[in-house]
Amino acid sequence: MNELENKIAVVVGAGCIGTGLGNGRATAITFAREGATVICADIDTESATATAEMIRGEGNDASVLTLDITDESHVADAVRTILHQHGRIDVLDNNVGIAAVGGVTDVDPADWERVFKVNLDGAFNTMRHVIPAMVANGSGSIVNISSVASIRWSGVAYAGYYASKAALNHLSRTTAAEFADRGVRVNAVLPGLIKTPMVESVAGITDAYSSTDIEQMWSKRDSQVPMGRMGEAWDVAHAALFLVSDRAKYITGAELVVDGGISLGMGRAS
């Protein structure tokens, strides 16, 4: 449908842990399929390059940008580079998130700080430097990928993840309000239980599910969802596409829940 034709889109977290398909990679591919020129930004250059190669392999346009979102000066330099090369930024998708298992009483304070540095400070840094360019251009759309864990208990104790994603929601809402009259829209996507490589990488998560292996954990996560299954990275990508497209041109400050009904509070009957 070419919903993003001639748009310059920056997907932060466009790489993926391992060789699988995470939310960021799926989003970068989706944006490119809809006509955007996609800048695949990630701290893992090799993984971002793999995403860009997938996009180019389909005949679409992508470039690679090594980016540490926790370093504001690095973000500022990266944004200047993009503006020098492309003249503008139409879309920003913040698709970075980490988790560390541990509730308030047992999470390592260093892990708490690290999760906030990535999940919240990262989005602050990118928005801080991209929004002025969008304002100067008269328009722009930002999507911050949060989590259903920002609004409810998910069954796993990871206090830093809950708190940082909840803060990201409110940062998105208030930034949307501040810049609504200057043509910049800011929305959030709240994925539920999505089957991605990132989940497997969280230390202690199988223990949190009292599972002996990853397949058993996947099965337990499926059973938590009213629809009976976890979502896919494409589900998150399609939600982000809607919010950055002109179909959502009158939507800002929204939180789009993509969770198969899990936020309704009930899983399937056993």
Side-chain angles (χ1 to χ4, degrees):
M1 294 175 64
N2 292 327
E3 293 197 67
L4 301 182
E5 188 171 10
N6 299 321
K7 300 290 187 182
I8 306 300
V10 180
V11 177
V12 181
C16 183
I17 296 171
T19 59
L21 189 74
N23 297 333
R25 176 168 287 170
T27 299
I29 293 170
T30 297
F31 285 3
R33 287 174 176 173
E34 293 295 329
T37 295
V38 178
I39 292 93
C40 299
D42 204 291
I43 195 169
D44 185 340
T45 307
E46 182 178 352
S47 186
T49 300
T51 302
E53 289 174 349
M54 292 176 185
I55 291 170
R56 295 183 195 124
E58 294 183 348
N60 299 314
D61 194 3
S63 60
V64 177
L65 179 69
T66 303
L67 182 63
D68 180 359
I69 58 169
T70 67
D71 184 336
E72 188 194 352
S73 64
H74 196 197
V75 172
D77 289 342
V79 171
R80 281 193 291 268
T81 297
I82 296 168
L83 294 175
H84 176 73
Q85 293 175 344
H86 300 280
R88 69 186 194 279
I89 296 172
D90 301 301
V91 172
L92 170 65
D93 182 273
N94 280 310
N95 218 311
V96 176
I98 61 171
V101 172
V104 169
T105 58
D106 53 8
V107 66
D108 187 316
D111 285 338
W112 169 274
E113 292 178 5
R114 180 172 60 90
V115 168
F116 264 82
K117 189 76 171 172
V118 173
N119 294 1
L120 185 62
D121 293 4
F124 167 79
N125 288 335
T126 58
M127 289 196 295
R128 176 178 178 82
H129 291 282
V130 168
I131 286 176
M134 290 180 167
V135 170
N137 196 45
S139 65
S141 182
I142 298 171
V143 173
N144 293 321
I145 306 303
S146 180
S147 170
V148 73
S150 66
I151 58 173
R152 57 159 291 153
W153 169 256
S154 74
V156 177
Y158 34 37
Y161 189 73
Y162 289 123
S164 62
K165 290 297 189 178
L168 180 61
N169 290 355
H170 201 49
L171 180 64
S172 301
R173 286 191 294 263
T174 54
T175 305
E178 182 179 359
F179 291 97
D181 63 350
R182 283 173 273 183
V184 179
R185 298 187 297 110
V186 184
N187 293 290
V189 172
L190 278 58
L193 300 178
I194 309 296
K195 190 175 182 179
T196 66
M198 179 264 187
V199 177
E200 293 184 60
S201 73
V202 178
I205 194 165
T206 54
D207 292 340
Y209 273 88
S210 300
S211 301
T212 57
D213 58 43
I214 193 69
E215 292 303 323
Q216 187 180 49
M217 183 190 74
W218 290 141
S219 178
K220 288 188 175 184
R221 284 168 67 89
D222 281 337
S223 70
Q224 289 181 267
V225 184
M227 283 188 173
R229 59 175 176 80
M230 290 176 285
E232 302 173 336
W234 298 116
D235 297 317
V236 178
H238 294 154
L241 172 63
F242 167 69
L243 288 173
V244 301
S245 74
D246 286 344
R247 285 188 292 161
K249 62 186 176 62
Y250 201 57
I251 298 174
T252 195
E255 296 168 10
L256 179 54
V257 176
V258 182
D259 72 346
I262 199 168
S263 58
L264 301 174
M266 295 181 66
R268 295 182 296 168
S270 59

